[in-house]
Amino acid sequence: MQMSPNRIDIFRFDEYNSKKYQVKWMFGVNNGSRIHSCNDVEPVPQRYLNPADIYIVKGYGIEVFLENLNSPAGIVFDEAGSLYIADSGLSTGNPQVLKLVNGELELIAENFVIPISGINYLNGILYVSHRGFVTRIFKDGTRQNIIMGLPSNGDHYNGPVAFSPDYKIYFGQGTVTNSGVVGNDNEWVPVSPLLCDYTGDYVLLNGQNYATDNILTEAMTDDLAFTGAFSPYGIPNIEFETRKRHVKASGSIIRANLDGSNLEQVAWGFRNPLFLKFNNSGQLYAINNGFNPVGSRPIENATDDFYYITPDLWYGWPDYSAGEPVNSPRFTPTGGYQPTLIFKNPPNIPPRPYVSFPPNSTLMSFDFNYNQKFGPYGDVYVAEYGSTITATVGDGLSYAGSGHRISKVDMRARTISTFAINKSGFPASISKGGGFERPSHLVFGPNESMYIVDMGLNIERDPNIFIPGTGVVWRIFHTND
């Protein structure tokens, strides 16, 4: 490891199909942001793709629509059917917005903060969400940062915007930590030691503290750091300590005017509300990815959830999962300790999810189907990204059983079924097949079709860096069989 006042550079080698390439991470200290880049030492082979390796519900077909993309996070169509792609930057270090023109990708904008998390479009204007920012791009190429200073420099960031019927933008803001406590699982601590989560209401803390080996004092081998909830690393809590309300709270849903003015909090108490959308009746829905068994306060068996959003409520983070308190025995990590509650005075009884998905599904996006020729009217289709972590206690988390698929939510019965999945049950990199790897976005578009963004192959053991040229857009269509 090579250190400097401006950044930390970490070099390592990995393999992909016996081809070695060098990966270089750069953790920038400017505003606590992180900059990642990937430099190939040898050319990366083209990703093997075979739609026949994907099981899909009878009556539908699937094909490759676009390939050889660099870690795409999302897509959007304009009113003319033109396609725009958000390149996250997690494979090249250069996030970009691209447009498909006559079968070729044309650069629209670049130089965003890694990663771009999504893109949307309204009335000739593109809205790009990237770490800490929402930026508008106009038809003439000019750009405007309309929202800045979001608390996105920790583990999670701000998601793509959604448009409400009254023409406001809504977006989810993820948490800085897994469960409210900065610990040794947070790789950004040496760069941003004062970073921590912020509450969305006035709360009292129970005052428990969590001991770790102090990673900020390497020379002192027996030094311990005692860290409290909603405090920077190494800063303990005391009982009845108060935290005040923040509009830009960790784990919140936020809204603003289309120009970014009049920023307001809609709800809070989510861990990672990465994607949200209004249905055609004007009701807001959101996904939330639950706790992981990592860090100083690990929590096992937390579901990933799909919520109908009621404004002005607390949804339970960091003390509840899917409406159940995390001090219930089932949330105790294997080989670990039963979690305790952080808040002495929870703001309200948290709502239950509309439906819950298995742990580590990692829900990334969803869309409502309003085409009766495609399928049941109003049902929701969800892109499941799959597990992103290895547990710090107990057994490692499997790739099987959740994620790496497209699921369907029956909105009337409140049930979940698998709509499309690799026949092997595993992501393509594990099975060596030609199907799904990392579904990151799903949207209904032209030709009465569903379009699925597959971010590509990530480096083994590291879900935050992707291999260039392995991203795909799939198209699913009804075959009338």
Side-chain angles (χ1 to χ4, degrees):
M1 181 181 293
Q2 183 182 32
M3 301 187 68
S4 74
N6 295 319
R7 74 186 190 204
I8 301 173
D9 292 346
I10 302 174
F11 297 89
R12 83 162 196 248
F13 285 87
D14 284 281
E15 293 188 5
Y16 171 58
N17 289 354
S18 301
K19 291 282 189 177
K20 290 190 175 182
Y21 55 92
Q22 186 183 47
V23 179
K24 179 179 179 183
W25 280 62
M26 299 179 292
F27 293 84
V29 298
N30 234 359
N31 300 320
S33 64
R34 294 184 290 173
I35 308 166
H36 315 158
S37 72
C38 176
N39 300 322
D40 290 326
V41 174
E42 296 183 26
V44 176
Q46 187 173 2
R47 174 179 168 182
Y48 169 63
L49 297 170
N50 184 4
D53 288 343
I54 300 173
Y55 160 82
I56 192 166
V57 170
K58 185 178 179 180
Y60 297 87
I62 185 167
E63 65 180 8
V64 175
F65 182 73
L66 282 175
E67 59 183 309
N68 301 323
L69 303 175
N70 295 324
S71 56
I75 60 175
V76 69
F77 294 93
D78 64 16
E79 56 270 276
S82 297
L83 174 66
Y84 296 85
I85 300 174
D87 173 352
S88 67
L90 292 175
S91 64
T92 64
N94 181 23
Q96 297 179 331
V97 174
L98 306 162
K99 183 179 181 180
L100 186 62
V101 180
N102 297 323
E104 300 291 333
L105 293 178
E106 178 182 292
L107 178 65
I108 300 298
E110 58 184 346
N111 298 320
F112 298 92
V113 181
I114 295 176
I116 291 179
S117 60
I119 188 173
N120 214 336
Y121 174 92
L122 182 68
N123 296 333
I125 302 173
L126 290 168
Y127 291 74
V128 182
S129 297
H130 50 122
R131 190 182 291 271
F133 294 82
V134 177
T135 300
R136 294 201 294 186
I137 302 175
F138 298 90
K139 285 185 176 180
D140 63 1
T142 60
R143 55 198 284 175
Q144 176 189 27
N145 292 331
I146 58 172
I147 296 176
M148 297 168 281
L150 296 170
S152 297
N153 291 322
D155 288 358
H156 308 111
Y157 38 83
N158 49 299
V161 304
F163 303 111
S164 66
D166 60 347
Y167 293 101
K168 289 183 179 290
I169 56 172
Y170 283 64
F171 61 92
Q173 172 61 55
T175 58
V176 172
T177 66
N178 174 53
S179 59
V181 181
V182 182
N184 290 2
D185 61 311
N186 302 122
E187 60 191 16
W188 40 261
V189 167
V191 176
S192 304
L194 298 181
L195 202 58
C196 66
D197 286 296
Y198 295 97
T199 56
D201 205 346
Y202 290 89
V203 295
L204 292 176
L205 306 180
N206 277 316
Q208 63 267 54
N209 295 295
Y210 301 82
T212 59
D213 293 330
N214 195 332
I215 58 177
L216 298 180
T217 57
E218 294 179 4
M220 301 175 63
T221 57
D222 295 328
D223 188 27
L224 294 179
F226 292 89
T227 306
F230 296 93
S231 292
Y233 186 78
I235 305 297
N237 287 164
I238 59 174
E239 191 174 9
F240 298 110
E241 195 168 339
T242 303
R243 290 293 181 269
K244 65 179 183 179
R245 182 180 188 274
H246 294 264
V247 173
K248 302 176 185 177
S250 302
S252 62
I253 292 175
I254 299 171
R255 70 180 167 211
N257 295 330
L258 292 177
D259 62 0
S261 62
N262 194 29
L263 205 68
E264 299 175 298
Q265 182 193 114
V266 177
W268 76 290
F270 306 92
R271 178 178 171 272
N272 191 17
L274 191 57
F275 190 89
L276 43 90
K277 191 163 189 172
F278 290 87
N279 68 5
N280 62 357
S281 298
Q283 298 166 317
L284 179 61
Y285 289 84
I287 55 176
N288 180 54
N289 291 308
F291 302 96
N292 287 326
V294 301
S296 298
R297 188 173 176 255
I299 296 170
E300 190 109 64
N301 295 320
T303 55
D304 294 338
D305 303 305
F306 178 72
Y307 279 99
Y308 168 74
I309 301 300
T310 300
D312 302 319
L313 289 181
W314 171 68
Y315 277 74
W317 184 89
D319 280 348
Y320 285 73
S321 172
E324 184 177 351
V326 298
N327 60 355
S328 299
R330 75 182 192 89
F331 294 113
T332 303
T334 304
Y337 297 97
Q338 184 170 319
T340 58
L341 302 184
I342 285 174
F343 290 162
K344 190 174 288 290
N345 62 330
N348 54 263
I349 298 174
R352 295 275 184 173
Y354 199 83
V355 292
S356 290
F357 290 74
N360 304 301
S361 298
T362 312
L363 313 180
M364 291 292 283
S365 79
F366 62 91
D367 202 1
F368 298 91
N369 172 49
Y370 295 123
N371 177 7
Q372 290 181 328
K373 293 182 180 179
F374 187 91
Y377 189 86
D379 279 354
V380 168
Y381 294 79
V382 183
E384 297 188 33
Y385 186 83
S387 175
T388 62
I389 62 123
T390 299
T392 56
V393 294
D395 297 330
L397 299 176
S398 171
Y399 279 100
S402 62
H404 308 282
R405 69 188 70 190
I406 304 303
S407 293
K408 182 173 79 74
V409 178
D410 184 320
M411 294 295 285
R412 295 162 187 82
R414 292 197 179 191
T415 57
I416 303 170
S417 59
T418 296
F419 180 70
I421 188 174
N422 292 341
K423 292 176 180 177
S424 68
F426 290 91
S429 60
I430 301 297
S431 66
K432 308 304 179 185
F436 293 143
E437 182 65 23
R438 290 292 193 180
S440 60
H441 187 229
L442 180 156
V443 65
F444 285 96
N447 302 316
E448 299 180 341
S449 299
M450 175 195 298
Y451 296 81
I452 300 161
V453 177
D454 184 334
M455 195 173 275
L457 304 174
N458 58 270
I459 293 169
E460 186 179 357
R461 300 177 302 277
D462 198 331
N464 296 308
I465 305 180
F466 283 78
I467 298 170
T470 61
V472 181
V473 177
W474 306 87
R475 185 175 79 93
I476 292 180
F477 49 92
H478 202 286
T479 60
N480 296 316
D481 289 345

